[in-house]
Amino acid sequence: MKSNLATVFRGRVRASGALRLLLRCAATVAFFVPLSLWGGETMTVWRVDKYEDGIKVSSREIHDSATREVKAEVDINAPFEKAFALLLDAGQRPRWDKVCTEASVYKKLSESEDIIYVVNDLPWPVSDRDMLLRRQWSVSADGSQARILSHADNTIPSIVDDRVRVEKAEGTWTLVRTGSSSVRLSTVIHAEPGGPIPGWLINALSVNGPYNALHSLRQILESENQALAASGDNYKNRNSQHRYHVGQPEEAE
């Protein structure tokens, strides 16, 4: 009888440990899974559409959607904190998103959530698009990764007549620290443009848009990082020369 009770107890302990491991794994997966998957949409496999200059852009079909979900990723030589700050700064978006001509914080909801207003300039004769994106962001406990989630907020009506409101859009930005001054940046985006748009333009935006955005983000961050390093080196050189000059012994007469 005692042997049976001991066996049952050990079995329950092992089951409890397995459950804790399963929950930890589920929490890790949840951090990286795109929003569209939690929405219950049927996915297909990723297709690599462009892999150039260290930037990979892939896409896949989404059930009941005319547009494809797009994923893009790149490695950047810049501090984690600088990259995260640039992504969160709505006013800086036109610097790296070439389609975007206007972006600002419409409403701050908390220290980790806001609503931003974004205007995208599309070529004639297609009307410009605007959208309100509700963003939520978080940083892992160890500071090794961060994520920004966004989705279209349709609670506020459009106020500009000649702009078409994008009512279906969602995206995930994931930033992973890969070194003391390097990160891996990836994004997963899916949006319905709203209104008729030529197929060639949708295809161009879906591939070249994310590619150009990551290319610009890398250029901005690495240029600023190099400028900061150069200014630090110049300061060290000037300081070193100054100490050397002061420390020179006077020549004997």
Side-chain angles (χ1 to χ4, degrees):
M1 183 64 175
K2 292 182 178 179
S3 176
N4 290 338
L5 289 174
T7 301
V8 171
F9 178 75
R10 286 195 297 270
R12 289 180 176 177
V13 170
R14 286 195 295 270
S16 177
L19 180 59
R20 287 195 297 269
L21 178 60
L22 180 61
L23 290 174
R24 286 198 297 268
C25 291
T28 301
V29 171
F31 190 89
F32 289 101
V33 171
L35 288 175
S36 53
L37 185 55
W38 295 113
E41 296 177 352
T42 303
M43 307 293 181
T44 57
V45 296
W46 290 105
R47 180 191 72 191
V48 177
D49 295 315
K50 188 171 186 175
Y51 198 172
E52 184 179 316
D53 196 20
I55 303 172
K56 183 166 70 172
V57 181
S58 308
S59 68
R60 62 182 175 184
E61 293 181 350
I62 298 293
H63 181 62
D64 289 338
S65 176
T67 58
R68 299 173 67 88
E69 184 178 47
V70 179
K71 176 175 66 174
E73 53 191 345
V74 66
D75 290 320
I76 301 175
N77 293 317
F80 177 92
E81 294 76 13
K82 291 283 188 181
F84 191 42
L86 180 59
L87 288 173
L88 284 180
D89 190 342
Q92 295 292 315
R93 186 176 183 124
R95 289 184 65 195
W96 52 266
D97 186 350
K98 302 307 180 185
V99 180
C100 175
T101 56
E102 180 184 340
S104 60
V105 175
Y106 179 83
K107 185 177 183 181
K108 184 175 181 180
L109 303 176
S110 70
E111 292 302 317
S112 59
E113 185 176 8
D114 65 10
I115 298 175
I116 63 173
Y117 179 68
V118 178
V119 178
N120 289 335
D121 180 26
L122 300 184
W124 185 88
V126 179
S127 299
D128 292 346
R129 262 57 178 173
D130 70 353
M131 55 184 166
L132 285 165
L133 291 175
R134 182 184 291 262
R135 305 187 303 175
Q136 295 175 305
W137 56 89
S138 60
V139 180
S140 61
D142 60 0
S144 64
Q145 51 194 323
R147 187 173 65 168
I148 304 172
L149 304 177
S150 64
H151 66 272
D153 188 316
N154 299 315
T155 60
I156 305 167
S158 178
I159 57 176
V160 182
D161 292 336
D162 61 347
R163 294 172 182 169
V164 176
R165 172 60 55 87
V166 175
E167 297 182 348
K168 295 182 179 180
E170 59 184 4
T172 304
W173 290 89
T174 303
L175 191 66
V176 178
R177 191 191 304 268
T178 57
S180 59
S181 187
S182 61
V183 296
R184 172 162 293 177
L185 176 61
S186 61
T187 183
V188 178
I189 304 169
H190 179 248
E192 300 284 354
I197 291 184
W200 64 267
L201 181 56
I202 291 180
N203 293 332
L205 292 175
S206 64
V207 175
N208 294 329
Y211 176 87
N212 292 335
L214 292 194
H215 189 278
S216 295
L217 281 165
R218 184 179 62 184
Q219 185 177 40
I220 292 170
L221 288 166
E222 291 189 348
S223 296
E224 291 179 352
N225 196 38
Q226 291 169 3
L228 183 62
S231 64
D233 289 340
N234 290 335
Y235 174 78
K236 290 178 181 178
N237 290 336
R238 289 196 303 271
N239 207 26
S240 175
Q241 293 170 2
H242 178 69
R243 288 197 303 269
Y244 179 78
H245 176 73
V246 171
Q248 281 294 299
E250 294 182 1
E251 294 184 3
E253 295 181 359

